[in-house]
Amino acid sequence: MVNTVRLQFWADSFHEGFWACDEIGKHFSVLSIVYEKGFIPVFRFALKEGLELEVMVLGSYKNWSPLPQPIAELIDWGKPDLIVFDPVSNSILMAVEETAAVPTGNQALQRCERMYGSLRRKIPFWYLLGEFGTHIDGGTRRDSIWPTVLGIKLSCAYKTPCMVLHYSDLAHPEDYAFGTGLASLFLALAIKIKIFFGIEKNAAFYPVLEEQYRHMFNFINSQWRNVVDFLPQEQLLQDPTIPQVIAKFVSGSDPEASVPDLFAWPNTPALPKEIYQNISPGGWIKDDQFVRGLEVLVEKKVAYNLSSNAGSKPQKTQDVSGWISEQKNILQRQNNGNYPFEIDIKDFPKSASGLLHVTTAKNVLYLIDSSEDAAKTLITAFPRLKKFSFPENGSAFVYISNSLKPGRIFGDPFTGQLSAFANIFGRDIRGKNIRLRIAYYPHQVHAQLFDKTNNFRMNKGITIMRELLDFAVFHGGVVVNMQNGQIV
Amino acid sequence: MTPTYSISEEIARWTVEVYFKQHAALGWWLAFTNPTAGPWKKIVAQDEGGFNAEIYRFQREEERPDLVLVNDELKLILLVEAKDFVEKLVTADQMEKSIRVIKEMNKVFLSIQHIGWGERAKYRVVSSFLWVCQDIRSMLIEDKEVRKVFQKTVTKTEPVLNIIVTKDEADNLFPNFIYDGQRITNPNEIPTLSLHR
């Protein structure tokens, strides 16, 4: 007598689901492949004597109806390339994101909102990407550390695996056949399936996770110096016991495991001496009163940036002009001109090629020792705020998005940046908030957050902002309390 | 229970890929397919052992065809542009883009120096359009429309292979092949002699 259990592999394309089945076939024998309705692949695997697994591949999410509710909710945060789904329990076993290119610059943080979107629902998440890639200029690039740092922090905060694995090597950039990531990913999936159907115990997952966390720590250890000047607790990256502790904690084999504080960026007095001494303002491109104030805090060494390599992407004059009009219209429509609107195209400096810079600060993130200083800086920049203060004094971060196009801040790459920065710098390894979380949108009007009844609108970007920010500062110094919607 | 599906370019293209997987004896192998993402942004060539070697990688912004199929016995390459429905294929912009891709890919096939590509650089390239037809009775009318717009845009007489996906009585999707206006059982019935470069 043969029993059959069933899973569905939902995927962005049929190829990705088929590919996953092919890879799983390296762990379980493939008994047959048939195509329902002439195109829907159904794989049959031998799991063990008397137990077979049927996997149906459903490619391209948008083409299926009804979408199971857990899948619909997850893909609202960006479509993972693969979702392993159990139709019986209506639950997701794991989600996989994979990318063929090595993301650089802003792109490196693009998928971070998917990581957060999955983890906030405690859905295990794997991100497979190239460690080495060929840039458009022909040079070789190596992956950023931020998704990997985020993966470790989210894993511990939500006690759920959030893994970043790499394929390729220096000699074979962007090549899936090299590096350990591909094999490691599908080993994890095979073990997960075995555990799910009772063939293995939960403990079987622990060594896989340990190995994968070890890869993540080794990667950060070998790469962080190319990305930032300073990485807190960097000595722990080489401690061989840390991946073990985290794997035990996350896999549940030791839920009380003592996870040390990791990646906890301190206030300026606790910075290494040479880093503290070298704190210096990075400057700005387009003048902005609040940014000037933040730069003063850096000058005084009571705030710092992580690095000073942010670039600027100048925009066409016509686009800038159109976006300014749109922002003005949104503000007037929603608020009858009750809030200041002073965005003027003359204030946007011209680039060498005649386009207009929208970038204010050259750094998009400031870590500030005292939120009181941040409040005073806001009042100086925007006198209308008068006696404004934050609820309690503590450290803070200010994340800046200079985007001018209406609605743009609710999508990639800004929601990805916010997901990464707020979780990495705003929370400790256990997920506890450690900084007041402030975002500054100098070219966006706050009215975009609200519907006609002055309640928060519903979209992914606003959900992320409400979950990961305490305050958002919009054009003209309009401060919105993101927890209760109160406008200052 | 299988959820219900709606037709898309992805399903149309994949149905044709499934056909060639299931009809391996016809001798066609997949050199390139263009799903939205994944490790497939490269053209591969099969060696004698059936292993794939990367022979060309598309640049990020480079326009790509939707499918490239190769038959070594017939010395043919099928260069396929796909859409979900015929209406989208025959717009002026889309047909111009399709023809641009066809021209560029012809140059690419000729320029590939990789040893794994070898003699294939000399194979005849057959332009092909792929879409789904909801009503099989309209299939030949749609075929005629695509050929008409193609010939008008390309400004020369060139036979095309249209691959039109329809449903059978059991609700299964399957591809129909129409070459130069004539329905053929499978792409191996393309008259190869007249096509060699």
Side-chain angles (χ1 to χ4, degrees):
Chain A
M1 164 103 177
V2 174
N3 284 328
T4 302
V5 288
R6 290 176 177 82
L7 288 174
Q8 292 173 345
F9 282 10
W10 290 77
D12 216 9
S13 73
F14 280 98
H15 269 272
E16 310 215 46
F18 199 92
W19 175 59
C21 285
D22 264 349
E23 292 294 327
I24 290 298
K26 293 172 183 169
H27 299 272
F28 312 124
S29 310
V30 180
L31 301 173
S32 64
I33 308 170
V34 296
Y35 295 92
E36 268 193 26
K37 298 191 184 299
F39 71 99
I40 305 167
V42 179
F43 281 69
R44 185 167 278 270
F45 300 97
L47 281 189
K48 66 170 188 177
E49 178 105 20
L51 185 63
E52 293 178 7
L53 167 67
E54 195 179 278
V55 176
M56 177 180 282
V57 175
L58 297 155
S60 186
Y61 300 104
K62 64 180 182 209
N63 292 122
W64 301 95
S65 176
L67 267 183
Q69 188 63 21
I71 293 179
E73 286 172 7
L74 182 61
I75 66 173
D76 212 27
W77 288 67
K79 294 170 187 160
D81 294 299
L82 176 70
I83 295 174
V84 180
F85 182 72
D86 172 36
V88 176
S89 62
N90 198 36
S91 62
I92 296 172
L93 273 66
M94 63 192 271
V96 178
E97 178 70 25
E98 66 90 16
T99 178
V102 171
T104 54
N106 278 346
Q107 288 177 329
L109 301 176
Q110 241 174 32
R111 304 302 207 285
C112 289
E113 70 181 33
R114 297 186 191 183
M115 296 168 76
Y116 173 65
S118 190
L119 267 286
R120 66 193 276 281
R121 287 188 169 78
K122 293 201 161 209
I123 295 168
F125 188 91
W126 270 257
Y127 183 17
L128 174 70
L129 77 167
E131 181 169 347
F132 297 91
T134 308
H135 196 254
I136 199 160
D137 63 11
T140 300
R141 294 285 191 279
R142 198 168 178 216
D143 183 31
S144 159
I145 60 167
W146 297 123
T148 308
V149 172
L150 178 66
I152 292 169
K153 285 199 104 163
L154 289 177
S155 291
C156 296
Y158 292 90
K159 283 193 181 181
T160 302
C162 186
M163 318 308 287
V164 177
L165 303 175
H166 292 99
Y167 59 81
S168 78
D169 62 25
L170 189 54
H172 305 88
E174 297 182 20
D175 195 331
Y176 283 66
F178 294 85
T180 57
L182 184 65
S184 187
L185 166 65
F186 287 104
L187 172 65
L189 176 52
I191 302 264
K192 186 90 187 155
I193 289 171
K194 283 183 184 174
I195 293 170
F196 187 74
F197 291 114
I199 300 167
E200 296 270 15
K201 292 190 174 149
N202 275 334
F205 214 38
Y206 161 71
V208 181
L209 288 183
E210 186 200 335
E211 188 55 42
Q212 295 187 351
Y213 283 120
R214 195 173 301 285
H215 164 80
M216 292 164 75
F217 277 95
N218 287 341
F219 171 71
I220 296 169
N221 190 39
S222 65
Q223 174 65 343
W224 69 264
R225 292 167 192 84
N226 297 322
V227 180
V228 284
D229 303 325
F230 156 70
L231 190 82
Q233 297 90 33
E234 56 112 349
Q235 71 284 358
L236 291 178
L237 295 175
Q238 296 171 63
D239 182 339
T241 64
I242 302 293
Q244 290 170 8
V245 171
I246 292 180
K248 280 181 182 168
F249 181 68
V250 172
S251 68
S253 66
D254 183 2
E256 301 307 317
S258 175
V259 177
D261 211 5
L262 287 163
F263 311 118
W265 271 264
N267 285 343
T268 56
L271 285 169
K273 198 175 165 190
E274 68 279 11
I275 299 294
Y276 179 82
Q277 282 171 345
N278 286 331
I279 293 176
S280 59
W284 58 83
I285 297 174
K286 176 181 179 279
D287 195 8
D288 181 280
Q289 288 303 312
F290 185 43
V291 167
R292 273 178 183 254
L294 293 172
E295 292 286 287
V296 169
L297 297 181
V298 177
E299 181 86 53
K300 289 179 181 169
K301 297 189 191 290
V302 292
Y304 65 106
N305 312 111
L306 293 171
S307 61
S308 51
N309 56 1
S312 171
K313 190 180 176 189
Q315 304 290 332
K316 289 179 190 164
T317 305
Q318 195 183 349
D319 289 342
V320 171
S321 169
W323 294 332
I324 292 172
S325 299
E326 286 178 52
Q327 294 280 356
K328 190 174 183 180
N329 289 341
I330 293 167
L331 190 66
Q332 283 185 335
R333 199 167 55 231
Q334 197 88 334
N335 297 102
N336 296 321
N338 288 337
Y339 292 92
F341 188 86
E342 290 158 3
I343 305 177
D344 190 331
I345 198 160
K346 283 186 251 160
D347 296 332
F348 292 83
K350 269 194 178 163
S351 72
S353 58
L355 300 173
L356 298 181
H357 286 290
V358 298
T359 300
T360 56
K362 288 183 181 173
N363 293 288
V364 296
L365 191 78
Y366 290 80
L367 302 182
I368 304 169
D369 293 348
S370 155
S371 55
E372 208 172 284
D373 279 347
K376 283 179 190 164
T377 305
L378 269 175
I379 294 168
T380 307
F382 307 108
R384 62 175 291 280
L385 293 173
K386 291 178 190 164
K387 290 177 182 170
F388 175 76
S389 66
F390 291 115
E392 56 189 73
N393 191 23
S395 53
F397 76 71
V398 174
Y399 158 71
I400 301 175
S401 167
N402 296 298
S403 175
L404 175 61
K405 188 177 181 183
R408 189 80 173 81
I409 53 171
F410 304 132
D412 259 347
F414 305 109
T415 45
Q417 287 178 359
L418 183 57
S419 299
F421 292 149
N423 281 295
I424 293 172
F425 303 107
R427 289 174 160 174
D428 70 8
I429 195 80
R430 302 267 181 168
K432 187 181 157 212
N433 291 339
I434 51 167
R435 282 191 168 88
L436 189 76
R437 302 159 302 171
I438 306 163
Y440 179 43
Y441 304 105
H443 304 133
Q444 299 279 339
V445 296
H446 71 286
Q448 296 173 86
L449 286 181
F450 302 103
D451 61 19
K452 285 177 185 166
T453 58
N454 289 325
N455 289 313
F456 280 119
R457 287 167 56 220
M458 300 283 281
N459 68 35
K460 174 184 67 179
I462 292 173
T463 303
I464 288 177
M465 289 160 80
R466 290 179 68 187
E467 289 183 11
L468 295 178
L469 287 175
D470 295 302
F471 291 90
V473 183
F474 289 86
H475 170 65
V478 179
V479 180
V480 178
N481 182 325
M482 294 307 296
Q483 303 304 307
N484 59 22
Q486 197 182 0
I487 303 170
V488 182
Chain B
M1 194 184 77
T2 311
T4 51
Y5 68 90
S6 54
I7 292 295
S8 65
E9 182 181 318
E10 164 76 8
I11 287 178
R13 197 204 67 249
W14 176 252
T15 299
V16 174
E17 290 188 48
V18 167
Y19 170 87
F20 284 104
K21 277 179 197 290
Q22 293 184 306
H23 294 78
L26 293 174
W28 294 89
W29 52 268
L30 192 68
F32 178 73
T33 176
N34 192 28
T36 51
W40 301 285
K41 63 173 184 176
K42 57 195 181 185
I43 299 178
V44 297
Q46 271 190 358
D47 64 17
E48 286 173 359
F51 292 104
N52 288 331
E54 177 181 336
I55 55 157
Y56 182 79
R57 190 176 295 202
F58 288 99
Q59 297 305 306
R60 193 168 296 180
E61 305 304 331
E62 194 173 356
E63 288 182 325
R64 307 165 200 188
D66 292 303
L67 276 179
V68 176
L69 290 146
V70 180
N71 190 310
D72 290 318
E73 209 166 298
L74 302 174
K75 300 190 189 311
L76 284 179
I77 297 171
L78 282 188
L79 186 54
V80 185
E81 281 286 293
K83 282 283 169 217
D84 47 2
F85 297 112
V86 70
E87 293 81 7
K88 290 187 189 166
L89 269 176
V90 295
T91 64
D93 284 354
Q94 177 57 40
M95 190 53 82
E96 276 167 23
K97 184 243 168 187
S98 298
I99 288 167
R100 205 164 52 236
V101 170
I102 289 165
K103 284 180 180 166
E104 284 307 307
M105 289 308 301
N106 269 279
K107 289 184 206 162
V108 167
F109 294 145
L110 279 171
S111 68
I112 293 171
Q113 299 292 313
H114 194 285
I115 192 168
W117 191 238
E119 286 294 300
R120 288 158 180 149
K122 296 176 189 163
Y123 287 6
R124 179 73 186 191
V125 180
V126 179
S127 304
S128 178
F129 293 93
L130 156 63
W131 70 95
V132 177
C133 176
Q134 302 273 43
D135 181 354
I136 198 163
R137 291 168 300 183
S138 307
M139 191 169 68
L140 292 175
I141 299 167
E142 291 185 2
D143 163 74
K144 193 172 176 183
E145 190 183 356
V146 169
R147 281 187 293 119
K148 187 175 147 196
V149 177
F150 173 73
Q151 303 295 5
K152 187 179 158 194
T153 315
V154 82
T155 62
K156 64 174 182 178
T157 308
E158 184 183 321
V160 292
L161 176 75
N162 283 332
I163 307 174
I164 307 175
V165 174
T166 57
K167 275 184 191 172
D168 66 12
E169 300 81 9
D171 222 21
N172 293 319
L173 294 181
F174 73 99
N176 303 271
F177 300 94
I178 302 182
Y179 180 73
D180 207 14
Q182 299 296 312
R183 193 165 179 180
I184 55 179
T185 310
N186 63 57
N188 289 28
E189 292 182 9
I190 294 172
T192 54
L193 279 178
S194 64
L195 292 173
H196 284 133
R197 281 183 200 271

